[in-house]
Every structure is written in C-alpha cells, then in structure tokens.
Amino acid sequence: MTAEAVADVVARIAAAAGLEGRWSGHSLRRGFATAARRDGKTLERIGRHGGWADGSRALLGYLEEGDRWTDNPVTGL
C-alpha cells in the first residue's frame, strides 16, 4: 500500500467518524508513539518498532505532551 493510499484511508475514516482536522498516515504513527509511551513502553522499543534510529530526536517530536497534571514528572517527589 502506498503512503498516499494510507493517507486517503485515514482521511476518509476520520471524516466518517466526524473528526475535524487534517489527518494522514503520520497521524497513525504519532498516535502509536504517544499511546505506547503513555503505556510505559521505552523510547528505544517504540523507536525500533516505528523505524526511528536509536536516540532519534525526531521520535520526540511525534510524542504528544501528556496531561500536565496526571503525567507531571514532579508528582510524588
């Protein structure tokens, strides 16, 4: 399946679900990386599964910021 075909399928599904915004194949990649990180998976495992190089700075750009209150790094210190 081509990248264009994936983008078309994602856009059609999002529209059918009533989701607003621009959706593409990268939406799936970003969603995967964010969901895996929130589930406690390591950046190394996420990156290897998603095709990012170990230590990739680009991977960090795919991660949606977690809830600032429930995912706060100072909680419990």
Side-chain angles (χ1 to χ4, degrees):
M1 182 176 263
T2 67
E4 292 80 18
V6 171
D8 184 48
V9 169
V10 170
R12 281 192 275 153
I13 291 172
L19 300 174
E20 296 181 17
R22 290 181 41 210
W23 298 89
S24 70
H26 272 92
S27 302
L28 298 176
R29 197 169 195 220
R30 184 179 197 115
F32 152 70
T34 299
R37 187 64 179 151
R38 286 184 181 158
D39 193 47
K41 305 303 185 260
T42 66
L43 289 176
E44 180 181 72
R45 296 297 301 147
I46 295 167
R48 288 180 181 176
H49 183 83
W52 287 281
D54 286 355
S56 170
R57 294 177 132 211
L59 169 57
L60 298 177
Y62 275 79
L63 301 174
E64 292 287 332
E65 186 174 331
D67 182 296
R68 291 182 181 180
W69 299 110
T70 61
D71 192 28
N72 193 311
V74 289
T75 300
L77 293 180

